[in-house]
């Protein structure tokens, strides 16, 4: 009988421990959902969500011509009283709204801008940012294409990779190859474990690859494979459009590419 009682006590303690672990796990999920769920509305069709003390994800619903009004993603990074912006809204006017919010609400001056590629949903606000004295860094291919198309030009170019400093924060730019466009890059923020993939990465609800007018389909699968191999520790993966997530976005993009190329 004593053995049976001891066994029952052991099982009760074990079950209580498991319940505790499960509760802690659910609390962690709820905490993460609470952080992601807190949206700050900047203006009509523009909102910002805090990811960490140094990173803010924004969505701007912009008119993209033949594609209609599209939710376009970007990232704000803050270190001390300085900020960096990865991708701008599609117009100078909407970019100004975002910059003013950064100044007023985050008490930071925007000093760095990095576009993912040359399309308007990435660097449509570059003219305004240049007027404001914000330094811009881009793939040299992006600068070359912008010059050909008589678009505003980023200030500094790189060919393979570049690390931009924001205080003591590293912002690591990398060109893995063609995909959504010939010049698309990714940006890795190691301190926050955030990978900004831009339009080469599709959200998990995407049923297709989106705008393929400038895509390099032959390179895209190997480009995604390079990104996955280089950044296996990414906690957040941010696509150019749609809901952010983790590695599942990269895997889903791979599957969409496989489906497309098999047709």
């Amino acid at each position: 009988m004593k053995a049976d009682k001891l066994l029952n006590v052991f099982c009760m303690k074990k079950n209580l421990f498991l319940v505790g672990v499960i509760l802690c796990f659910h609390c962690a999920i709820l905490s993460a959902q609470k952080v992601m769920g807190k949206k700050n509305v900047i203006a009509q069709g523009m909102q910002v969500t805090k990811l960490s003390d140094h990173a803010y994800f924004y969505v701007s619903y912009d008119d993209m011509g033949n594609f209609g009004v599209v939710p376009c993603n970007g990232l704000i990074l803050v270190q001390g009283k300085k900020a960096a912006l990865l991708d701008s809204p599609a117009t100078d006017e909407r970019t100004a709204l975002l910059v003013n919010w950064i100044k007023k609400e985050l008490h930071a001056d925007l000093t760095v801008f990095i576009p993912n590629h040359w399309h308007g949903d990435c660097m449509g606000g570059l003219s305004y940012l240049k007027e404001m004295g914000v330094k811009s860094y881009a793939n040299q291919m992006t600068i070359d294409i912008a010059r050909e198309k008589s678009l505003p030009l980023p200030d500094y170019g790189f060919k393979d990779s570049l690390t931009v400093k924001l205080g003591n924060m590293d912002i690591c730019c990398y060109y893995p190859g063609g995909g959504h466009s010939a010049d698309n890059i990714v940006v890795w923020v190691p301190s926050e474990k955030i990978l900004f993939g831009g339009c080469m990465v599709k959200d998990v609800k995407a049923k297709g690859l989106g705008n393929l007018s400038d895509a390099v389909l032959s390179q895209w699968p190997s480009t995604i494979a390079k990104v996955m191999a280089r950044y296996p520790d990414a906690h957040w993966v941010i696509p150019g459009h749609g809901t952010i997530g983790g590695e599942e976005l990269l895997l889903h993009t791979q599957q969409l590419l496989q489906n497309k190329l098999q047709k």
Side-chain angles (χ1 to χ4, degrees):
M1 289 296 294
K2 287 185 178 181
D4 290 340
K5 287 182 178 179
L6 287 173
L7 181 61
N8 289 336
V9 170
F10 173 76
C11 290
M12 288 177 63
K13 288 184 176 181
K14 184 178 179 181
N15 289 336
L16 287 172
F17 174 76
L18 291 173
V19 169
V21 170
I22 292 169
L23 286 173
C24 288
F25 178 71
H26 281 292
C27 285
I29 293 175
L30 290 172
S31 177
Q33 289 176 339
K34 184 177 180 180
V35 171
M36 279 298 298
K38 186 178 180 181
K39 295 180 175 63
N40 297 283
V41 177
I42 298 176
Q44 184 175 0
M46 189 182 296
Q47 60 192 30
V48 175
T49 302
K50 183 177 180 180
L51 297 181
S52 72
D53 288 341
H54 302 286
Y56 297 78
F57 162 68
Y58 86 81
V59 181
S60 181
Y61 287 77
D62 294 336
D63 186 350
M64 301 307 298
N66 294 335
F67 297 97
V69 176
V70 177
C72 304
N73 298 338
L75 184 67
I76 303 162
L77 300 167
V78 180
Q79 184 71 3
K81 295 186 177 182
K82 294 183 178 180
L85 179 64
L86 309 187
D87 282 5
S88 76
T91 66
D92 288 341
E93 293 75 17
R94 291 183 69 76
T95 301
L97 291 172
L98 185 61
V99 172
N100 290 336
W101 182 87
I102 292 170
K103 177 74 172 178
K104 181 180 177 181
E105 300 297 331
L106 302 183
H107 310 290
D109 293 318
L110 186 64
T111 60
V112 171
F113 172 62
I114 303 170
N116 179 270
H117 60 283
W118 68 272
H119 288 168
D121 54 353
C122 297
M123 51 182 264
L126 180 56
S127 180
Y128 170 78
L129 295 175
K130 288 175 73 73
E131 289 179 7
M132 298 298 292
V134 179
K135 293 181 179 179
S136 50
Y137 304 82
N139 185 350
Q140 185 59 47
M141 293 174 67
T142 301
I143 297 175
D144 294 341
I145 294 171
R147 184 178 290 109
E148 290 174 6
K149 296 182 178 295
S150 300
L151 299 172
L153 302 180
D155 299 317
Y156 307 102
F158 67 92
K159 291 188 176 180
D160 176 66
S161 61
L162 174 72
T163 297
V164 179
K165 284 283 190 179
L166 185 71
N168 61 6
M169 177 187 287
D170 288 338
I171 305 174
C172 306
C173 309
Y174 172 57
Y175 174 61
H180 170 75
S181 64
D183 61 317
N184 53 201
I185 65 170
V186 296
V187 179
W188 169 242
V189 189
S191 63
E192 312 305 306
K193 295 192 179 301
I194 294 174
L195 177 66
F196 188 80
C199 295
M200 77 165 73
V201 178
K202 312 308 294 183
D203 84 300
V204 292
K205 295 181 182 178
K207 299 189 183 306
L209 294 167
N211 175 18
L212 297 178
S213 58
D214 299 300
V216 188
L217 283 171
S218 61
Q219 295 181 23
W220 202 338
S222 63
T223 295
I224 289 293
K226 288 178 187 176
V227 171
M228 292 180 68
R230 191 177 179 104
Y231 308 110
D233 298 329
H235 177 70
W236 295 115
V237 177
I238 301 179
H241 309 278
T243 307
I244 73 175
E247 185 187 25
E248 68 275 8
L249 274 69
L250 300 169
L251 293 170
H252 181 60
T253 304
Q254 278 191 325
Q255 186 61 57
L256 291 174
L257 285 164
Q258 183 177 337
N259 296 343
K260 177 70 176 178
L261 293 171
Q262 285 177 345
K263 290 182 179 179

